[in-house]
Amino acid sequence: MPSPSPSTSPVRQYSQPSPFLRLPPELRLQIYGLLVLPRKETDLLPSWAKVHSSTQDYFDYEAKRHGTDLPLSANLTNPTLMIRTLDPGSYRQMIPAHKPIPVRSQYAVRCDRFRSACKSTTYHCINNPRLEDHLGLLRVNKQIHFEAAELLYSSYTFDFDTHVEAIVPFLSDLTPFARSSIKSIRVVKRALAYEKEFDRCEWSTALRYLTSTSTALNLHKLELGIVAGRPGTNGWDRVPRYSAEYFRDCHMDGEEGMEWMQYLLEIRGLQELDVKAVVEHCPPATNSNAMAKYVRFSASVEDGFARFLRDKLVVVPVVA
């Protein structure tokens, strides 16, 4: 991440501007893009060392291109940086001995098999596009810092998957200007039927931070994954779906197991919301009423639930 930026507004004019700053803004942005954005689809491939920490990661590290053994390449039109919680104690091993350890906030995670013990660790970008040698650009002067930093942070989607405990420390370590430049975030909500009290606390803490006015985020896009249970071989074939009207009428944030909705519904100003079901196997709906309700909700994630959230969170542009 770049060094702390000045708290003042960007300086737009100099008495004797350099030849570079006399270039049209669109040309300067093209030059910045060559330095802070990925050039090839393979620049954003994740590391093949899976992250095993306090939470299951629903990103598919082993996804292949259709019909080949080649890794699935990144989408350069929507470049994504994957921020993950590290295994406690492994961070120092990832930094070469001759390099200083970056200063990052530490936080506690539940890390043993049964998630009963807490240890301190930090976050890490698992698909680092290797921009470190170019970030000196952000220290040239105020104007270049603001122009390049805004392009850098507004161009990437910051993907936390289920590692929501990393959201607060990661965003807190950024400068206010860098934080306000972020436009797109991706998170995944863990399976509701198996949610624990500490899951609720982690999610509530992250969402309260994202929606706080003091955080000064200005999100335009949210990618929301919901872990959805699909039982047996027939899946959701005969499972009735909940409609958007059902979700509007039943006060979702007050439903048992849906308390996390309270903070999600406080997000304002979205221009785009992408809701996806992250499908995993679950027991049959006949096991219990709670499981039947979860399976029905899961079948509705990309239909009624997605339409309900878009109606609540997405700002409809006014046509003149």
Side-chain angles (χ1 to χ4, degrees), residues 239-274:
V239 175
R241 269 64 166 176
Y242 290 123
S243 66
E245 291 72 25
Y246 168 83
F247 291 115
R248 280 196 292 269
D249 295 341
C250 74
H251 304 290
M252 287 296 295
D253 54 344
E255 288 275 308
E256 184 179 359
M258 301 296 290
E259 296 85 357
W260 57 281
M261 290 286 296
Q262 172 187 349
Y263 304 103
L264 181 67
L265 294 176
E266 292 180 9
I267 295 177
R268 295 290 182 270
L270 289 181
Q271 298 175 10
E272 187 176 352
L273 175 63
D274 186 12

Side-chain angles (χ1 to χ4, degrees), residues 41-42 45 48 60-74:
E41 292 178 335
T42 53
L45 287 178
W48 294 102
D60 186 358
Y61 288 79
E62 299 175 356
K64 305 292 184 182
R65 299 185 191 180
H66 181 68
T68 74
D69 288 329
L70 299 175
L72 191 66
S73 54

Side-chain angles (χ1 to χ4, degrees), residues 43-280:
D43 286 349
L44 290 175
L45 287 178
S47 66
W48 294 102
K50 294 185 179 181
V51 178
H52 299 284
S53 61
S54 64
T55 182
Q56 179 177 354
D57 192 344
Y58 284 93
F59 174 79
D60 186 358
Y61 288 79
E62 299 175 356
K64 305 292 184 182
R65 299 185 191 180
H66 181 68
T68 74
D69 288 329
L70 299 175
L72 191 66
S73 54
N75 179 5
L76 292 185
T77 62
N78 181 26
T80 297
L81 295 179
M82 301 172 187
I83 310 300
R84 301 292 188 263
T85 291
L86 281 175
D87 302 321
S90 67
Y91 182 51
R92 184 62 186 95
Q93 301 172 12
M94 303 179 67
I95 309 298
H98 65 279
K99 289 190 175 183
I101 301 178
V103 177
R104 293 178 179 173
S105 294
Q106 302 234 331
Y107 50 95
V109 295
R110 296 177 180 271
C111 58
D112 67 356
R113 179 180 177 186
F114 299 103
R115 300 184 70 185
S116 59
C118 289
K119 289 187 179 180
S120 180
T121 187
T122 189
Y123 55 84
H124 178 63
C125 178
I126 64 170
N127 64 331
N128 190 340
R130 304 301 175 192
L131 304 176
E132 295 94 334
D133 294 339
H134 303 154
L135 292 183
L137 168 76
L138 299 173
R139 294 188 290 271
V140 174
N141 62 38
K142 291 180 180 179
Q143 180 173 350
I144 290 177
H145 174 95
F146 278 96
E147 291 177 347
E150 183 174 16
L151 177 67
L152 170 65
Y153 287 100
S154 66
S155 298
Y156 288 96
T157 292
F158 291 85
D159 174 11
F160 296 91
D161 204 81
T162 54
H163 299 241
V164 294
E165 68 270 22
I167 289 177
V168 175
F170 173 78
L171 294 178
S172 298
D173 285 347
L174 299 180
T175 64
F177 179 76
R179 209 164 42 239
S180 68
S181 299
I182 291 176
K183 304 303 179 191
S184 179
I185 282 179
R186 176 182 179 267
V187 292
V188 174
K189 184 69 183 72
R190 296 187 187 104
L192 311 181
Y194 310 105
E195 189 180 45
K196 306 298 183 185
E197 187 60 37
F198 48 78
D199 293 326
R200 296 189 183 100
C201 291
E202 291 167 358
W203 183 266
S204 297
T205 299
L207 267 282
R208 281 200 300 266
Y209 185 84
L210 290 179
T211 55
S212 171
T213 55
S214 62
T215 306
L217 273 177
N218 184 27
L219 288 183
H220 290 180
K221 180 180 180 181
L222 175 64
E223 297 182 21
L224 175 63
I226 305 290
V227 179
R230 184 161 59 193
T233 55
N234 295 325
W236 300 322
D237 288 350
R238 297 187 178 182
V239 175
R241 269 64 166 176
Y242 290 123
S243 66
E245 291 72 25
Y246 168 83
F247 291 115
R248 280 196 292 269
D249 295 341
C250 74
H251 304 290
M252 287 296 295
D253 54 344
E255 288 275 308
E256 184 179 359
M258 301 296 290
E259 296 85 357
W260 57 281
M261 290 286 296
Q262 172 187 349
Y263 304 103
L264 181 67
L265 294 176
E266 292 180 9
I267 295 177
R268 295 290 182 270
L270 289 181
Q271 298 175 10
E272 187 176 352
L273 175 63
D274 186 12
V275 181
K276 295 291 186 184
V278 182
V279 180
E280 66 175 15

Side-chain angles (χ1 to χ4, degrees), residues 192-193 239-240 242 246 250 252 255-258 285 288-300:
L192 311 181
V239 175
Y242 290 123
Y246 168 83
C250 74
M252 287 296 295
E255 288 275 308
E256 184 179 359
M258 301 296 290
S288 67
N289 289 334
M291 186 57 64
K293 190 171 184 178
Y294 170 57
V295 170
R296 186 175 181 183
F297 170 79
S298 297
S300 311

